[in-house]
Amino acid sequence: MNVIRKILGAIILFVDGLTRPRQMQRTDEERVKLDEQTRKMQIFEFRTCPFCVKVRRNIHRLNINIPLRDARNDPDAARELIEGGGKRQVPCLRIEEDGLVSWMYESNDINAFLNERFENVT
Ligand SMILES: N[C@@H](CCC(=O)N[C@@H](CS)C(=O)NCC(=O)O)C(=O)O
Protein backbone atom coordinates (compact mmCIF):
# COMPACT_ATOMS: atom_id res chain seq x y z
CA MET A 1 0.00 0.00 0.00
CA ASN A 2 2.83 2.33 0.97
CA VAL A 3 4.66 1.55 -2.28
CA ILE A 4 1.55 2.26 -4.36
CA ARG A 5 1.05 5.54 -2.51
CA LYS A 6 4.67 6.50 -3.18
CA ILE A 7 4.37 5.68 -6.89
CA LEU A 8 1.11 7.62 -7.18
CA GLY A 9 2.69 10.53 -5.32
CA ALA A 10 5.66 10.56 -7.69
CA ILE A 11 3.31 10.55 -10.71
CA ILE A 12 1.27 13.42 -9.24
CA LEU A 13 4.42 15.51 -8.68
CA PHE A 14 5.78 14.66 -12.14
CA VAL A 15 2.55 15.64 -13.94
CA ASP A 16 2.25 18.77 -11.80
CA GLY A 17 5.80 19.76 -12.74
CA LEU A 18 5.06 19.25 -16.45
CA THR A 19 1.79 21.17 -16.49
CA ARG A 20 2.39 24.12 -14.18
CA PRO A 21 -0.05 26.99 -14.91
CA ARG A 22 1.34 30.26 -16.25
CA GLN A 23 2.20 32.73 -13.50
CA MET A 24 0.46 36.10 -13.34
CA GLN A 25 2.88 38.94 -13.93
CA ARG A 26 3.43 41.22 -10.94
CA THR A 27 5.14 44.58 -10.78
CA ASP A 28 7.69 45.27 -8.03
CA GLU A 29 5.12 47.48 -6.33
CA GLU A 30 2.49 44.73 -6.43
CA ARG A 31 5.05 42.22 -5.17
CA VAL A 32 5.70 44.36 -2.06
CA LYS A 33 1.96 44.69 -1.37
CA LEU A 34 1.35 40.97 -1.91
CA ASP A 35 4.23 39.90 0.31
CA GLU A 36 2.90 42.19 3.03
CA GLN A 37 -0.53 40.53 2.77
CA THR A 38 0.72 36.93 2.65
CA ARG A 39 3.31 37.39 5.38
CA LYS A 40 0.90 36.12 8.02
CA MET A 41 -0.37 33.12 6.04
CA GLN A 42 0.77 29.49 5.96
CA ILE A 43 -0.43 26.45 4.06
CA PHE A 44 -0.37 23.15 5.94
CA GLU A 45 -0.09 20.37 3.40
CA PHE A 46 1.13 16.94 2.38
CA ARG A 47 3.52 17.10 -0.57
CA THR A 48 1.68 14.54 -2.72
CA CYS A 49 -1.93 15.13 -1.67
CA PRO A 50 -3.88 15.98 -4.86
CA PHE A 51 -5.95 18.61 -3.05
CA CYS A 52 -2.73 20.24 -1.82
CA VAL A 53 -1.28 20.12 -5.34
CA LYS A 54 -4.41 21.93 -6.54
CA VAL A 55 -3.86 24.71 -3.99
CA ARG A 56 -0.10 24.90 -4.67
CA ARG A 57 -0.80 25.25 -8.41
CA ASN A 58 -3.14 28.15 -7.71
CA ILE A 59 -0.55 29.81 -5.46
CA HIS A 60 1.96 29.42 -8.28
CA ARG A 61 -0.54 30.87 -10.81
CA LEU A 62 -1.32 33.84 -8.58
CA ASN A 63 2.44 34.36 -8.15
CA ILE A 64 2.22 34.86 -4.40
CA ASN A 65 4.49 33.68 -1.59
CA ILE A 66 2.83 31.62 1.12
CA PRO A 67 5.07 29.41 3.26
CA LEU A 68 4.27 25.70 3.09
CA ARG A 69 4.27 23.53 6.21
CA ASP A 70 4.65 19.78 5.71
CA ALA A 71 2.12 18.27 8.10
CA ARG A 72 3.09 14.70 7.15
CA ASN A 73 6.84 14.84 7.82
CA ASP A 74 7.17 17.73 10.25
CA PRO A 75 5.76 16.76 13.67
CA ASP A 76 5.65 20.41 14.79
CA ALA A 77 3.52 21.34 11.77
CA ALA A 78 1.19 18.37 12.37
CA ARG A 79 0.77 19.32 16.03
CA GLU A 80 0.10 22.99 15.23
CA LEU A 81 -2.48 21.99 12.64
CA ILE A 82 -4.36 19.64 14.97
CA GLU A 83 -4.21 21.99 17.97
CA GLY A 84 -5.04 25.12 15.98
CA GLY A 85 -7.32 23.92 13.22
CA GLY A 86 -8.91 21.06 15.11
CA LYS A 87 -8.12 18.19 12.75
CA ARG A 88 -5.31 16.65 10.72
CA GLN A 89 -6.74 17.42 7.30
CA VAL A 90 -4.82 19.09 4.50
CA PRO A 91 -4.69 21.47 2.78
CA CYS A 92 -5.38 24.03 5.47
CA LEU A 93 -4.72 27.76 5.23
CA ARG A 94 -3.71 29.47 8.47
CA ILE A 95 -4.43 33.19 8.42
CA GLU A 96 -3.33 35.63 11.09
CA GLU A 97 -5.08 38.98 10.85
CA ASP A 98 -5.40 41.74 13.43
CA GLY A 99 -4.10 39.34 16.08
CA LEU A 100 -6.78 36.75 15.25
CA VAL A 101 -5.87 33.34 13.84
CA SER A 102 -8.26 31.43 11.59
CA TRP A 103 -7.88 28.05 9.92
CA MET A 104 -9.50 27.37 6.56
CA TYR A 105 -9.93 23.79 5.35
CA GLU A 106 -11.19 22.59 1.93
CA SER A 107 -9.12 23.18 -1.19
CA ASN A 108 -12.03 24.80 -3.09
CA ASP A 109 -12.66 27.28 -0.28
CA ILE A 110 -8.94 28.07 0.02
CA ASN A 111 -8.57 28.67 -3.71
CA ALA A 112 -11.74 30.81 -3.83
CA PHE A 113 -10.40 32.89 -0.92
CA LEU A 114 -6.96 33.31 -2.52
CA ASN A 115 -8.49 34.24 -5.90
CA GLU A 116 -10.78 36.79 -4.29
CA ARG A 117 -7.89 38.33 -2.37
CA PHE A 118 -5.05 38.20 -4.85
CA GLU A 119 -6.28 38.15 -8.46
CA ASN A 120 -6.41 41.92 -8.32
CA VAL A 121 -3.95 43.73 -6.11
CA THR A 122 -5.37 46.79 -4.38
N1 LIG B 1 -12.36 17.89 0.54
C1 LIG B 1 -11.01 18.11 1.02
C2 LIG B 1 -10.28 16.77 0.97
C3 LIG B 1 -8.91 16.87 1.65
C4 LIG B 1 -8.34 15.48 1.94
O1 LIG B 1 -8.99 14.44 1.74
N2 LIG B 1 -7.09 15.48 2.40
C5 LIG B 1 -6.47 14.25 2.82
C6 LIG B 1 -5.09 14.11 2.16
S1 LIG B 1 -5.19 13.92 0.40
C7 LIG B 1 -6.24 14.31 4.31
O2 LIG B 1 -6.08 15.36 4.89
N3 LIG B 1 -6.20 13.15 4.98
C8 LIG B 1 -5.90 13.08 6.39
C9 LIG B 1 -4.81 12.14 6.72
O3 LIG B 1 -4.32 11.45 5.82
O4 LIG B 1 -4.41 12.11 7.89
C10 LIG B 1 -10.35 19.20 0.19
O5 LIG B 1 -10.75 19.42 -0.97
O6 LIG B 1 -9.45 19.88 0.70
Side-chain angles (χ1 to χ4, degrees), residues 46 49-52 54 72 88-91 105-108:
F46 296 165
C49 156
F51 305 99
C52 302
K54 185 168 82 177
R72 195 195 295 282
R88 184 179 183 266
Q89 181 182 301
V90 291
Y105 288 95
E106 292 301 323
S107 53
N108 285 344

Side-chain angles (χ1 to χ4, degrees), residues 20-26 31 57 59-65:
R20 276 276 149 121
R22 185 194 290 263
Q23 280 191 307
M24 294 178 68
Q25 294 302 303
R26 305 292 195 183
R31 161 77 38 228
R57 288 171 69 83
I59 288 172
H60 174 80
R61 183 186 71 80
L62 290 168
N63 198 355
I64 52 177
N65 296 314

